[in-house]
Amino acid sequence: LFPGDITWQVDIIRNHTNWKSLDFDRILNAIIPQQDKTMGVMTQCKHKVIKDTTVTGAKTKIKLHKFGYDTLDEICDYLDEIGKDALFLVSRYVEPEKPEQQERMMAIADETERYVTQKGYKFLNLCYKNKELGLDYSKDFYNHRHVNTIGAQKVTNYVGDFIAENYDIKNDHSADTVSKWDSAYDKWLE
């Protein structure tokens, strides 16, 4: 989509936005994060009360399309080749008005988890972590699928703790990089 290397805020979690929804400002923020004083971080402060959709697991089993397995194989083979580990993660997915869609997405996530853990990688499905995340359905979401700023803080803390407990992450950022992120955080607080 873009020529050359792009530095993302968090390389691990970078592909959420569907390419069809990218607008010019979002592309610029991705390519030139210094243009945005918060380093491209976007937040939603509004909230919407949604139905509690606690999920304990899919009732059905599903096979991925061949392309899905091939893609997972390609990613895992590449990680093996370069000697790196990865965390596969499914964020909260809530479809209270479409239970059949919710069931299908959970079945896909369950099969993906089975497949990548069989290959030796960790998989974190946040759809099954309501209690651990501490999400409040009356104030932590801005629509039925996405958490707002309050919910994002809870999810970020949980994922950060999970990564700290399960991976040996070293901070090798330069003082200049740390200073830029500290400044971006201060701007975000404004």
Side-chain angles (χ1 to χ4, degrees), residues 100-147:
E100 67 287 342
Q101 179 70 10
Q102 177 83 30
E103 172 67 18
R104 185 176 186 301
M105 294 307 292
M106 295 303 93
I108 290 170
D110 289 350
E111 174 59 12
T112 304
E113 178 175 16
R114 184 201 66 75
Y115 197 75
V116 299
T117 56
Q118 168 187 306
K119 292 182 163 287
Y121 293 96
K122 287 183 177 51
F123 187 94
L124 181 59
N125 188 339
L126 297 180
C127 293
Y128 301 147
K129 303 288 184 186
N130 284 1
K131 198 174 283 185
E132 296 91 330
L133 290 167
L135 292 174
D136 181 337
Y137 289 92
S138 69
K139 50 186 163 177
D140 292 346
F141 289 80
Y142 79 88
N143 67 24
H144 70 279
R145 284 193 187 169
H146 296 92
V147 292

Side-chain angles (χ1 to χ4, degrees), residues 42-144:
M42 296 183 313
T43 60
Q44 284 287 344
C45 296
K46 63 184 179 178
H47 79 280
K48 177 179 182 178
V49 176
I50 65 167
K51 184 170 94 175
D52 181 340
T53 54
T54 300
V55 183
T56 57
K59 296 176 186 91
T60 58
K61 300 234 182 269
I62 194 170
K63 290 290 183 187
L64 303 179
H65 187 278
K66 181 181 179 322
F67 176 77
Y69 291 115
D70 290 349
T71 301
L72 291 171
D73 285 341
E74 185 179 338
I75 292 168
C76 293
D77 290 349
Y78 176 72
L79 291 166
D80 291 343
E81 181 183 316
I82 64 171
K84 298 291 183 181
D85 201 356
L87 170 63
F88 291 80
L89 182 142
V90 172
S91 191
R92 288 285 299 129
Y93 185 86
V94 180
E95 281 287 359
E97 306 306 318
K98 299 178 185 174
E100 67 287 342
Q101 179 70 10
Q102 177 83 30
E103 172 67 18
R104 185 176 186 301
M105 294 307 292
M106 295 303 93
I108 290 170
D110 289 350
E111 174 59 12
T112 304
E113 178 175 16
R114 184 201 66 75
Y115 197 75
V116 299
T117 56
Q118 168 187 306
K119 292 182 163 287
Y121 293 96
K122 287 183 177 51
F123 187 94
L124 181 59
N125 188 339
L126 297 180
C127 293
Y128 301 147
K129 303 288 184 186
N130 284 1
K131 198 174 283 185
E132 296 91 330
L133 290 167
L135 292 174
D136 181 337
Y137 289 92
S138 69
K139 50 186 163 177
D140 292 346
F141 289 80
Y142 79 88
N143 67 24
H144 70 279

Side-chain angles (χ1 to χ4, degrees), residues 160-171:
D161 289 346
F162 183 91
I163 290 171
E165 291 169 13
N166 289 280
Y167 297 90
D168 183 27
I169 304 293
K170 293 177 179 36
N171 181 356

